Amino acid sequence: MCLRVVMLPVVLSCCCGSMVGAPDGDFERWQGSRPDGWGALWVRERGAGELAPDGGAKHGGERSARVTHRGEKDWSLNAAGPVVATPGDIFEVRAWLKIEGEGSVTPCVAAIDGGGKTVDWSLGDEDLRGPADWALVESRFLVPEGTARLLPRVVGLGRGTAWVDDFELRRVGNIAEMRARDLGSSVVISNAMLRVVFDTGSGAMAVEDLRTGRVAKQSQGSRMVIKGARADGPMSLRVAAWDPVDGLELDVRVALEPGWPELTVEIASEGKMRRPLAFPGPFVTGAGSYLVVPMNEGISYPVDDGSIAPMRLIAYGGHGICMGFWGVTDGAAGHMAIIETPDDAAIRIDRSGGMLCVAPEWEPQKGAFGYARKLRYVFFDGGGHVAMCGRYRDHAKAKGLVKTLRQKRDEIPAVDLLIGAVNVWCWEKDAVSIARELKAAGIERILWSNRGTPESIGAMNAMGGILTGRYDIYQDLMDPDLIARGIIRGTHSDWTQGGWPRDIILDARGKWIPGWGVKGKDGATHPCGVLCDSRALDYAMARVPADLAEHPYRARFIDTTTASPWRECYSPEHPMTRGQSREWKMRLLEYMSKEMKLVTGCETGHDASVPFLHYFEGMLSLGPYRVPDSGRDTRRIWDEVPERVAKFQLGHRYRLPLWELVYHDCTVAQWYWGDYNNKLPSLWDKRDLFNALYGTPPMFMFDRKLWEQQRDRFARSYRATCPVARAVGFSEMTDHRFLTPDRDVQQTRFDNGVTVTVNFGEGAREVEGLGTLAPMSARADGI
């Protein structure tokens, strides 16, 4: 037999093709160390692997291909040549695999365009993780636009020995051949503000804003097969669709809101779901507009900016989008999409026609479609990103997410100490003397984040103006066997070691998932297990009251809870969906703030936690654009600025205060503890300007030596930021404007009348009504 590219008949009137010649997928014939029709084994780490025939371990025939890999990184075995494919083709790729060791193996293909450029290295995403006996691994995929050929591949990751046999690539059909022939070309619905035309051929919508005449059109590249579409009244339509990749029958309802420029798309289905569903498709964008993305604090991406790489951002954790929406605007008109069911959702930023665009992806809920998924599109005739944030705040209010700092202060008076306080991370043992020196330098309001002795915490509490806190975490626990054997240098005091292995998260294969890595005495990095979120509260209830009985802390920083994603757990003792993971995480945070009466912070942040938290470390720091290894190498001061940090992290032409426009009066946003104000000295002034513009406090990290060297600079940073943060800390941010086309001069407004204007430019600028604004300067009015 040979590797087969087979053209199969399909149910919905697909044309059947013929067998196409291809390399030996049964690996029966070899030329030395290479099977017929395949290339040499490629390994990321030189000399880390070998390929050989194996007659002793095979699934079918006389032999299989055996890959022995000693490296930690990836390897691949590629066919010698590609096969022809057409965009819209549906293929299945499958192989029988066996693994000894902990590595993983995936049968897949690379997609190649007409010019020979690889546009996707891995179509077909089902893998096998070792150790595992012979198993059939198969997946189905849709050939993307721009693809001319497919290159069959087997790829692997990690140490282990893998056997591959009976590799097949089958063409199932083409979407165009499967679509129903008896449908009308379109279905039209409308209200007083919008007119929607649904294309029954492509499943794409065109939305005309009747106020302006602008038409937003979705990309035609959807993988859906439309089986039926009809108007269900003047303002709604129903669509019966089929997903040929997963075989899902979809019931789609599109409905306009009476009297509003909004429409919802709700998708229901039943049955198994193996991969994310990308529907609806993205709206096509044009030059002059920019994406509005709530990645942490917020960022804008000009759609024609070629420096932006495609990316995928989850909606269910802090390292994705921290609020469930995205938008596109020219600075005035545009549209946004609110993800009303974000627990198993993500967004994908990609290109269509060379321009950036955004589309939702709906992930399986424990291997099934589960509950109905819902998206709301809102169209604007003005207001840009500020109007989008206003609309999202209304949505957040309706969901019960808007709880203000004033309300929280009524419950915990110590919240007042947080407002306008610099977050200080200092590990010196003489905390009290450092605190006194800070106050003597004019740094009056302090969030002291490092733990201390009962005596030092009490002394700082007595000084006034200091909010004392400590670090805590309910995620990591290490394999006790590694500790017992001396490979790991002891137990971290915050690990929940009592939960191993009973309380750790298990994946769908029943294996524990790796968490934070710890370097052992053997030189290798050993991952922690991850505590199931449904078990975390029990550990907190055992730990925190006992701690507070001795230490009079007023605050507590809970690491990772809102940064790490909502997770699924397949343990039979504590199974959990992502939605349940979110609920358990929120119960943990609510316990800290409501029951323990602590001013509570968390890492990075997500708006599901706004009712329960007071501050976020890392909300200001855009996750993908921090310095390398910022979470581990926290104390290192960077004299050289990485290009991505300067361009995006501190890039005033990209950043947007989206979080502040929605939640400024509800939480305090701070920089990340590996990305603080004094982290990159050459950008310190610019960070201070962002703090002033956003009405947020700074973060300092230092030891005694650095404090003594930079005392005056720390004091100047405090004076440049904290008075503004104190003045507007309980206020809603109501506006953000670019006062110059180059975005050098920006202005924010707050509902208590304070206005902050910043010139990020290198030259002085004239600002109407304010006069001359010096370069790299800020001005606050109304304080």
Side-chain angles (χ1 to χ4, degrees):
M1 294 187 293
C2 65
L3 179 153
R4 297 184 293 277
V5 179
V6 186
M7 317 297 269
L8 293 179
V10 297
V11 177
L12 297 179
S13 66
C14 168
C15 296
C16 181
S18 58
M19 183 84 72
V20 178
D24 178 12
D26 288 336
F27 302 100
E28 297 296 317
R29 297 179 297 276
W30 291 70
Q31 301 294 325
S33 62
R34 297 188 185 185
D36 277 4
W38 294 85
L41 179 70
W42 174 90
V43 292
R44 179 78 60 182
E45 299 152 281
R46 186 175 181 180
E50 293 87 35
L51 172 67
D54 193 328
K58 73 270 188 184
H59 175 259
E62 298 298 321
R63 57 187 59 84
S64 67
R66 183 184 71 238
V67 177
T68 304
H69 189 245
R70 296 175 296 277
E72 299 292 341
K73 298 182 181 179
D74 54 322
W75 57 266
S76 68
L77 176 62
N78 295 348
V83 297
V84 175
T86 302
D89 279 348
I90 303 161
F91 276 84
E92 289 179 350
V93 60
R94 61 176 65 181
W96 283 87
L97 306 174
K98 175 183 175 181
I99 304 174
E100 288 183 359
E102 297 296 324
S104 65
V105 182
T106 307
C108 59
V109 302
I112 303 169
D113 67 14
K117 180 181 178 182
T118 300
V119 295
D120 193 317
W121 284 101
S122 183
L123 292 176
D125 54 5
E126 293 294 322
D127 67 357
L128 182 68
R129 299 180 188 178
D133 203 353
W134 284 108
L136 177 63
V137 178
E138 55 186 338
S139 61
R140 183 180 284 197
F141 62 88
L142 183 70
V143 175
E145 291 296 323
T147 301
R149 291 170 294 167
L150 302 175
L151 182 68
R153 312 179 72 210
V154 180
V155 300
L157 179 67
R159 296 177 183 270
T161 301
W163 288 264
V164 185
D165 208 354
D166 298 332
F167 185 110
E168 288 186 299
L169 182 65
R170 295 172 176 266
R171 181 184 180 276
V172 178
N174 186 284
I175 276 188
E177 300 164 349
M178 297 178 175
R179 287 180 172 137
R181 307 294 185 185
D182 56 351
L183 289 177
S185 61
S186 63
V187 179
V188 180
I189 58 174
S190 63
N191 67 7
M193 294 187 177
L194 300 178
R195 180 175 183 269
V196 180
V197 179
F198 181 83
D199 186 319
T200 60
S202 66
M205 292 186 292
V207 182
E208 181 183 3
D209 191 328
L210 300 176
R211 299 165 298 178
T212 64
R214 292 169 60 108
V215 179
K217 296 181 178 180
Q218 287 180 332
S219 168
Q220 300 289 306
S222 170
R223 77 186 196 192
M224 292 299 105
V225 174
I226 306 304
K227 298 170 65 177
R230 60 179 175 81
D232 189 22
M235 290 189 292
S236 66
L237 63 90
R238 298 296 289 268
V239 177
W242 181 61
D243 174 11
V245 174
D246 256 339
L248 287 170
E249 298 283 349
L250 303 173
D251 178 12
V252 182
R253 183 174 187 268
V254 180
L256 288 159
E257 293 286 357
W260 294 94
E262 302 185 7
L263 66 92
T264 59
V265 178
E266 188 169 8
I267 310 164
S269 186
E270 296 179 353
K272 294 181 179 180
M273 183 178 177
R274 293 187 296 174
R275 59 184 57 78
L277 172 68
F279 184 81
F283 280 98
V284 176
T285 60
S289 59
Y290 58 89
L291 305 184
V292 177
V293 182
M295 172 200 291
N296 307 119
E297 179 65 52
I299 196 165
S300 64
Y301 289 131
V303 300
D304 55 354
D305 188 335
S307 70
I308 312 300
M311 67 186 79
R312 185 176 188 272
L313 300 170
I314 61 172
Y316 49 87
H319 290 297
I321 53 173
C322 297
M323 298 180 285
F325 77 91
W326 77 86
V328 182
T329 180
D330 58 9
H335 74 271
M336 73 181 297
I338 298 174
I339 305 171
E340 296 199 357
T341 52
D343 284 343
D344 299 277
I347 66 171
R348 184 173 294 278
I349 299 174
D350 214 328
R351 295 189 183 275
S352 177
M355 300 291 177
L356 292 172
C357 56
V358 188
E361 290 189 350
W362 310 105
E363 297 195 10
Q365 184 189 50
K366 302 196 82 170
F369 190 90
Y371 57 95
R373 316 302 177 93
K374 191 173 183 180
L375 192 68
R376 177 179 298 270
Y377 291 105
V378 184
F379 294 82
F380 299 90
D381 57 2
H385 64 273
V386 176
M388 293 178 189
C389 289
R391 177 62 185 89
Y392 188 78
R393 183 174 168 99
D394 290 341
H395 166 77
K397 284 181 179 179
K399 290 185 65 177
L401 297 180
V402 174
K403 184 176 182 179
T404 69
L405 287 164
R406 292 183 187 276
Q407 293 172 304
K408 295 172 184 178
R409 182 179 59 180
D410 290 341
E411 297 172 351
I412 306 173
V415 168
D416 193 72
L417 293 171
L418 176 70
I419 307 305
V422 55
N423 190 341
V424 172
W425 280 99
C426 175
W427 281 266
E428 295 290 343
K429 293 182 179 179
D430 56 341
V432 175
S433 66
I434 292 280
R436 288 196 181 108
E437 291 179 32
L438 286 165
K439 282 186 161 288
I443 301 175
E444 291 288 339
R445 305 184 66 83
I446 301 164
L447 167 59
W448 188 270
S449 289
N450 192 28
R451 71 181 71 191
T453 64
E455 294 76 18
S456 66
I457 297 302
M460 285 190 284
N461 288 344
M463 289 183 194
I466 300 181
L467 178 63
T468 52
R470 60 155 288 183
Y471 172 97
D472 202 357
I473 185 172
Y474 297 91
Q475 175 171 288
D476 299 324
L477 60 168
M478 178 58 71
D479 183 348
D481 180 63
L482 295 175
I483 299 171
R485 291 192 285 137
I487 295 175
I488 300 298
R489 296 174 172 84
T491 303
H492 192 288
S493 61
D494 292 323
W495 287 346
T496 53
Q497 285 302 101
W500 190 285
R502 182 185 65 256
D503 294 335
I504 58 177
I505 289 181
L506 301 182
D507 66 16
R509 297 173 173 88
K511 298 181 179 180
W512 61 273
I513 65 173
W516 182 256
V518 179
K519 191 171 183 179
K521 293 180 181 179
D522 57 357
T525 298
H526 300 275
C528 288
V530 176
L531 182 70
C532 185
D533 296 311
S534 68
R535 308 298 302 135
L537 181 57
D538 289 345
Y539 288 93
M541 293 173 70
R543 176 186 296 175
V544 178
D547 185 31
L548 293 180
E550 297 182 359
H551 300 78
Y553 295 115
R554 296 167 172 172
R556 207 170 188 95
F557 171 70
I558 310 300
D559 199 10
T560 76
T561 297
T562 56
S564 61
W566 320 157
R567 290 185 169 101
E568 294 180 337
C569 181
Y570 290 81
S571 166
E573 295 184 30
H574 42 83
M576 183 175 68
T577 65
R578 289 192 189 94
Q580 291 166 336
S581 170
R582 169 183 51 78
E583 291 171 0
W584 281 111
K585 284 173 180 272
M586 297 312 110
R587 289 187 197 181
L588 172 67
L589 300 176
E590 183 180 33
Y591 172 75
M592 297 294 176
S593 57
K594 183 176 180 180
E595 300 298 325
M596 294 293 97
K597 299 297 182 183
L598 291 166
V599 177
T600 308
C602 209
E603 183 191 355
T604 303
H606 190 283
D607 73 342
S609 63
V610 168
F612 316 112
L613 291 177
H614 305 98
Y615 69 98
F616 293 108
E617 286 194 16
M619 182 58 74
L620 291 179
S621 299
L622 310 179
Y625 306 120
R626 300 170 184 174
V627 296
D629 212 17
S630 61
R632 293 181 183 272
D633 199 6
T634 57
R635 303 188 200 188
R636 176 185 170 187
I637 302 299
W638 285 65
D639 293 319
E640 295 184 6
V641 179
E643 180 183 358
R644 284 164 60 85
V645 175
K647 182 174 181 177
F648 297 111
Q649 187 69 270
L650 277 298
H652 61 275
R653 293 186 173 92
Y654 289 92
R655 291 187 64 112
L656 294 175
L658 304 180
W659 182 268
E660 308 312 318
L661 284 163
V662 179
Y663 291 120
H664 184 273
D665 61 337
C666 298
T667 62
V668 176
Q670 301 171 352
W671 302 103
Y672 181 58
W673 75 340
D675 186 52
Y676 39 88
N677 288 61
N678 58 301
K679 181 75 171 180
L680 299 103
S682 64
L683 295 177
W684 195 340
D685 287 340
K686 195 166 189 181
R687 279 194 200 271
D688 290 350
L689 291 179
F690 274 115
N691 280 128
L693 183 68
Y694 293 179
T696 58
M699 176 186 286
F700 302 155
M701 184 176 288
F702 53 75
D703 55 18
R704 175 166 285 282
K705 181 180 178 181
L706 185 59
W707 162 249
E708 291 175 350
Q709 291 173 342
Q710 298 283 329
R711 183 191 311 254
D712 292 343
R713 181 64 188 88
F714 283 117
R716 179 156 55 90
S717 180
Y718 177 87
R719 292 193 301 270
T721 57
C722 286
V724 178
R726 178 66 182 173
V728 302
F730 292 105
S731 299
E732 180 184 350
M733 182 187 284
T734 57
D735 197 14
H736 168 252
R737 300 180 184 182
F738 302 113
L739 300 186
T740 56
D742 58 9
R743 297 191 174 186
D744 280 358
V745 183
Q746 301 184 25
Q747 187 178 81
T748 53
R749 294 178 180 271
F750 299 85
D751 69 356
N752 65 346
V754 173
T755 300
V756 182
T757 310
V758 167
N759 179 9
F760 289 106
E762 297 178 356
R765 303 295 287 264
E766 292 295 321
V767 179
E768 184 177 353
L770 299 179
T772 302
L773 200 60
M776 291 296 291
S777 69
R779 165 178 176 154
D781 295 285
I783 294 180

